[in-house]
Amino acid sequence: MSRLILPDTDRVLSRQTGWVRAHWEALADHLLDSLIPYFSPGSARVVLPGRPSRSGTSSDELEGFARSFMLAAFRIAGVRGEGCEQLIERYARGVANGANPDHPEAWLRLTPRSQQMVEAAAIAVALHESREWIWDRLDTRAQEHVAEWLGGFIGSTTHDNNWRLFQVVSEQFLASVGAPYSKEDIEGGLDRIEDWYVGDGWYSDGDGQNFDNYIGWAMHLYPGLWTRMAAATPGAQYDDRLKLYRERLSLFLEDAIHLVGNDGAPVYQGRSLTYRMAAATPYWMGAVLDATPLSPGQTRRLCSGIARHFVQHGVPDERGLLTLGWYDTFLPTTQPYSGPGSPYWASKGFIGLLLPPEHPVWSDAEETLPLDEADQIRSMPAPGWIVHASRHDQVVQLVNHGADHAPPAEPSGVEPSADPHYNRLAYANHAGPELTDSSAGIDNLTSLVDQQGRSSARGRIRRLGIGARSASSWHKAWLGEDGPWPIEITSVVHGGWEIRCALVEGPAGALVRSGGFAVAGDSLPSATAGTAWASARNADGLMSAVVNLHGYDAAGVHRDLGANPFGPHSATPYLTTAHSGEPLVLVHAVLLTRDAIRPEARAEGIDVAVDGQEISITLPGAETELVRLGNR
């Protein structure tokens, strides 16, 4: 059993979090030292407990080595190798043995679209950043083995998404050490991501509307790392691209700063969330590339808040390991490609350790973030989001009318797949979507439900527009093979509330159901419901509520067990009404808060007048918002 021991907090240098560089180094050392019992005899693999991935145990064991090697490299380079002799020896030995095709622990060869391509990129990055201490100490034969193994990228095929960048950085490392590589592969990969740039610093991760945390820890990280490798490659041309990547990263961070609460809790949305502290990656990368709107003190404030948040919620576990889940082990958070070593992509969130101790990001005093000073609302047209956050209860909500992770072209007559990590109308930093079949289509969705209990999903999102505090979209609703019926929704954000206006088409006799956020915890959330409202509150005081403003005639609370990443017991308030077969206009308010209020009373300050498909919403303070539906 291994226990994390952190230094005393420093409230002089870090008034908000108490964390300084020593805390980051202690956490990194703890994660790395806790892996020692799981290293193979030749140190080329890390054999971790947990559910295997679809790629098999050999790939999983390479993954454990490669991803932890990146953390080791950042730790070594940041202190110029001082005090890291055992770490250097361990990973240098592992690299030499793993790349040796005749060694019993030899790594899997790189084949097209294989998982080992991902891990190879981590090894290439780690070898570059720790070059003086690991690559340079390998003998000539070991270096040749590494170059031959990474050479499996040359002329090969990757998945057409962020994987293109794995090929780019791996072959750029080969170029930097004078090994064979393909200039066409590198330039082709960098050119390909241009097709996915959508403006305001945002990329889609491949074709479609694939917006999530991956944008920060892949689409901005690897191009930046590539420029560091290219700078070490004689004759490489990188200045123009570096200027472009720096501009885009700075723009992205203007939005991304709003995706974390002032307690350090990141918004739970998208895939590979088990990488956890990787959420800090783009903020650190902004400092590494000198491409950030944040001051050094703000950067550390934000990143340390993220790391401290996970540590306070039991990460790593009592063995010192990162498990498959969000806080504790929770497999529905993961994807089929997630193996026991996958969570060690958390290493990306430690890239700030590359910056030396005397860098201002470590030596300057912490500074406040916008959410420390006032409630925030941020319209993000590129991903189709509106993010609003409360300074006092530390709740951040993401209203989603743009990210769906669906194929760009939808097959005719086929119900589209729907991923709960992308298809919800809203996400938050202290509440997550329900991730079991029994809860499909309830939380943060407006769905059709038939007499057999089947509910429609929200697959491909078709955008209609986004403003300063409102956003609209529509999607096709299916009930088994029946459909599709269009559902159009406009969200209006005000003072912590989201008012959802819906135009729902559907079959007569179907039920229309609209859910709020699911709240979860270790104990059963309390729940109350009236005829036109419902709410649930967990033991931490977080309350989710839905309130009818027009058209619904019943309310309830759905409970589930083992469905939510934030705790085993969860509850979701919802509203319902019967569908007549004619287009139906519905309006309701959604709330997620720690305030001790009665939601039905709070919503009385919101007045709604419906005239056909036009809705006039009068907000507290006499502000009026006009919503016109029927725009698809």
Side-chain angles (χ1 to χ4, degrees):
M1 187 171 292
S2 180
R3 188 168 69 89
L4 173 62
I5 300 176
L6 293 174
D8 292 338
T9 55
D10 184 341
R11 296 294 177 179
V12 176
L13 191 60
S14 299
R15 180 170 60 89
Q16 284 88 356
T17 70
W19 276 45
V20 294
R21 184 184 179 99
H23 291 80
W24 281 88
E25 290 180 343
L27 179 56
D29 291 342
H30 178 66
L31 290 169
L32 292 165
D33 291 345
S34 297
L35 290 175
I36 293 175
Y38 302 95
F39 267 80
S40 58
S43 298
R45 300 181 178 213
V46 178
V47 187
L48 290 165
R51 183 203 66 188
S53 75
R54 66 186 177 193
S55 299
T57 55
S58 291
S59 174
D60 293 346
E61 292 165 6
L62 165 61
E63 182 178 64
F65 176 89
R67 300 189 179 198
S68 63
F69 183 24
M70 183 180 279
L71 175 58
F74 297 158
R75 180 71 175 95
I76 292 164
V79 293
R80 304 288 302 164
E82 185 176 343
C84 297
E85 292 78 12
Q86 291 183 340
L87 199 59
I88 293 168
E89 190 282 330
R90 186 185 317 143
Y91 280 93
R93 182 168 179 256
V95 168
N97 290 335
N100 182 353
D102 298 321
H103 193 276
E105 296 177 13
W107 297 327
L108 295 170
R109 301 289 96 181
L110 304 188
T111 55
R113 300 186 181 90
S114 60
Q115 179 64 31
Q116 46 268 33
M117 283 183 160
V118 184
E119 316 317 328
I123 290 172
V125 168
L127 285 171
H128 171 74
E129 298 296 348
S130 64
R131 181 176 306 206
E132 180 179 338
W133 303 277
I134 293 184
W135 173 260
D136 289 350
R137 73 179 285 172
L138 297 178
D139 61 37
T140 301
R141 188 64 182 137
Q143 290 181 345
E144 290 173 349
H145 282 150
V146 173
E148 179 185 1
W149 184 70
L150 287 175
F153 267 115
I154 300 173
S156 190
T157 304
T158 72
H159 291 293
D160 197 27
N161 54 15
N162 70 88
W163 281 45
R164 297 294 294 268
L165 295 171
F166 301 150
Q167 185 174 36
V168 166
V169 295
S170 297
E171 294 199 43
Q172 191 63 56
F173 174 75
L174 291 173
S176 73
V177 297
Y181 73 101
S182 167
K183 183 178 180 181
E184 291 74 20
D185 285 349
I186 294 172
E187 293 184 349
L190 294 175
D191 288 344
R192 181 62 173 128
I193 70 170
E194 295 303 308
D195 298 332
W196 303 326
Y197 184 69
V198 297
D200 297 336
W202 285 87
Y203 296 86
S204 173
D205 184 9
D207 293 334
Q209 301 184 121
N210 305 322
F211 304 108
D212 59 13
N213 291 305
Y214 245 106
I215 307 310
W217 64 47
M219 305 306 293
H220 283 290
L221 172 67
Y222 290 107
L225 291 171
W226 170 81
T227 65
R228 292 169 64 84
M229 292 179 175
T233 307
Q237 300 296 316
Y238 69 95
D239 286 344
D240 289 347
R241 291 193 191 269
L242 172 58
K243 180 181 178 182
L244 184 67
Y245 298 151
R246 291 179 71 248
E247 290 172 351
R248 289 177 180 176
L249 176 55
S250 185
L251 281 173
F252 173 76
L253 292 177
E254 290 181 14
D255 279 347
I257 190 176
H258 297 281
L259 299 176
V260 181
N262 47 350
D263 60 348
V267 170
Y268 184 100
Q269 180 271 339
R271 62 196 172 98
S272 296
L273 292 166
T274 193
Y275 302 166
R276 298 180 176 99
M277 284 85 85
T281 304
Y283 313 107
W284 284 131
M285 200 63 192
V288 170
L289 293 182
D290 191 21
T292 176
L294 303 176
S295 69
Q298 287 179 314
T299 296
R300 191 176 75 255
R301 154 80 177 100
L302 184 54
C303 295
S304 292
I306 292 170
R308 185 187 67 165
H309 174 77
F310 283 106
V311 167
Q312 289 176 335
H313 285 80
V315 179
D317 72 2
E318 68 279 359
R319 300 165 297 179
L321 300 182
L322 299 175
T323 61
L324 288 165
W326 182 240
Y327 296 144
D328 201 351
T329 300
F330 185 70
L331 295 181
T333 287
T334 66
Q335 285 70 45
Y337 56 74
S338 305
S342 287
Y344 285 84
W345 261 157
S347 300
K348 296 181 179 184
F350 289 77
I351 196 170
L353 290 176
L354 283 177
L355 299 166
E358 63 272 16
H359 190 282
V361 82
W362 295 115
S363 61
D364 283 6
E366 276 187 355
E367 296 182 26
T368 57
L369 298 168
L371 188 56
D372 292 325
E373 303 292 341
D375 294 352
Q376 299 292 307
I377 179 168
R378 178 81 175 183
S379 177
M380 303 181 187
W385 294 347
I386 295 178
V387 175
H388 58 119
S390 167
R391 170 194 176 193
H392 296 292
D393 63 16
Q394 304 171 331
V395 173
V396 179
Q397 300 177 58
L398 184 162
V399 180
N400 175 33
H401 285 272
D404 55 23
H405 207 251
E410 198 170 273
S412 177
V414 178
E415 182 175 8
S417 60
D419 185 336
H421 284 108
Y422 292 90
N423 77 330
R424 296 320 200 226
L425 282 159
Y427 294 90
N429 63 335
H430 286 287
E434 300 282 79
L435 300 175
T436 61
D437 291 340
S438 62
S439 295
I442 298 181
D443 65 280
N444 276 316
L445 287 173
T446 291
S447 306
L448 296 170
V449 184
D450 66 15
Q451 294 179 352
Q452 289 74 45
R454 296 178 302 177
S455 61
S456 66
R458 187 181 185 222
R460 182 182 173 198
I461 297 170
R462 292 151 170 86
R463 302 184 187 198
L464 293 172
I466 185 167
R469 64 179 184 187
S470 64
S472 303
S473 66
W474 71 280
H475 67 277
K476 295 178 180 179
W478 298 74
L479 289 172
E481 297 179 354
D482 298 331
W485 292 275
I487 296 180
E488 178 184 338
I489 298 175
T490 293
S491 298
V492 177
V493 172
H494 175 80
W497 288 91
E498 178 196 347
I499 299 108
R500 295 178 187 164
C501 307
L503 176 61
V504 183
E505 296 187 32
L511 196 68
V512 182
R513 181 178 59 204
S514 294
F517 285 90
V519 292
D522 292 332
S523 58
L524 200 66
S526 61
T528 55
T531 57
W533 62 273
S535 67
R537 189 184 292 271
N538 67 13
D540 293 332
L542 184 66
M543 183 185 72
S544 169
V546 289
V547 181
N548 171 49
L549 297 176
H550 176 80
Y552 295 94
D553 53 27
V557 176
H558 174 82
R559 295 187 181 276
D560 215 325
L561 181 65
N564 198 285
F566 286 82
H569 299 278
S570 57
T572 307
Y574 64 87
L575 301 166
T576 61
T577 191
H579 204 293
S580 66
E582 297 296 323
L584 187 62
V585 173
L586 301 167
V587 186
H588 70 286
V590 176
L591 180 67
L592 186 68
T593 184
R594 285 195 172 89
D595 286 346
I597 63 172
R598 290 170 48 238
E600 69 279 15
R602 175 80 174 270
E604 289 175 358
I606 303 173
D607 294 323
V608 169
V610 177
D611 182 6
Q613 296 180 4
E614 186 172 282
I615 303 162
S616 177
I617 305 171
T618 301
L619 302 166
E623 299 174 81
T624 300
E625 188 85 13
L626 189 64
V627 174
R628 293 183 176 91
L629 299 173
N631 299 303
R632 66 178 183 85

